[in-house]
Amino acid sequence: MNQPSMDRGDLALVLAIRDHGSLAGAAATLDVVPSVITKRLGALEARLGQRLFDRTTRRLSVTAEGEAVCLHARTLLDGFAALESELGERQNELTGTVRLAATFGFGRRWLGPAVAAFQARHPALQIELMLTEQLPDLGAEGYDGAVWLWAVQQRHAADWVSRRIARNQRVLAASPGYLKRRGTPATVEALASHDCLVARENGDASQRQYALWTLRHARDGSTARVRVQGPLASNSGEMVRDWCVAGHGVMLRSLWDIAPQLASGELMRVLPQYAMAEADIHWIAPWRPKTPRRVRLLVDHLVEQFRGEPWKPGKAGAR
């Protein structure tokens, strides 16, 4: 026995009648004469063996069966539209502009080359990479997103989307010369008596006398906090790194930033069982109903590029 069937046009017809509350209103929306709507609805109800609308000369009301159809019709129609859009995108070359933000250090050293490689594969695409030390108001300033050492907090989850691009650690390091002169700290607490080089992010001067470092133990996950201070501080991470290489103290820096110096022996890990928590690299963006394909594919490319953390010691891509 053949089952009654409905097609896309039938779903649109039922929704139009329900939404407008009249056959004439549905006819205007679907750009046909009312008699066509009457004929199509009658044929659909006959095929289904169900009455979808009760009709009199004065009013039209939806039946329980009609409501059941409408309940699923919108989702099904949206699914048709999404599928058609995706299939169309697959046939088209990536075009348009992607505008993203990143910090100077990671943006210049790692993100820039990865973005350039993606653009070379899609020559009709334009990419604007803006380097900054302070996260912009992405939505208000027209950014598609940012690559940042920051994850969306739970209270912002409804307004932002976040995807981890790569794991990262901020680790303690010092030069061999400094450690020979001052000794190697054996505990987190011992850092309080060392010259610590502080990077004051975004020029924060609220704690000029000290900085609070929160470190997590790699094996048991326990955390330890220590107030550190020293004679040198800067809002430039590169400056802090240069001071550290020159033997002026202990610093806390991202592994991606100091991988070459660790590999060459210019720097040595201090308390290698500890690292700063929550330093992973994320894609963050304002929430939107549909993310453009060019943005989705760029983020996928970045995840693939950095999946293996190429800055880790011994990786061929470390530089």
Side-chain angles (χ1 to χ4, degrees), residues 55-129:
R55 304 180 285 285
T56 68
T57 55
R58 291 190 172 186
R59 64 188 298 270
L60 178 147
S61 60
V62 64
T63 65
E65 292 76 17
E67 285 287 5
V69 173
C70 292
L71 179 65
H72 298 285
R74 175 55 58 200
T75 300
L76 293 170
L77 289 174
D78 288 345
F80 276 120
L83 176 59
E84 288 175 344
S85 176
E86 181 175 341
L87 291 176
E89 287 179 341
R90 288 176 181 271
Q91 294 177 344
N92 298 328
E93 185 178 14
L94 292 185
T95 60
T97 300
V98 178
R99 193 163 186 258
L100 62 153
T103 54
F104 279 96
F106 188 81
R108 190 162 45 222
R109 184 180 294 269
W110 294 101
L111 185 60
V115 164
F118 183 78
Q119 195 283 327
R121 287 164 47 188
H122 305 282
L125 183 67
Q126 293 189 350
I127 301 178
E128 297 180 5
L129 174 57

Side-chain angles (χ1 to χ4, degrees), residues 217-223:
H217 197 282
R219 187 167 57 249
D220 60 25
S222 61
T223 59

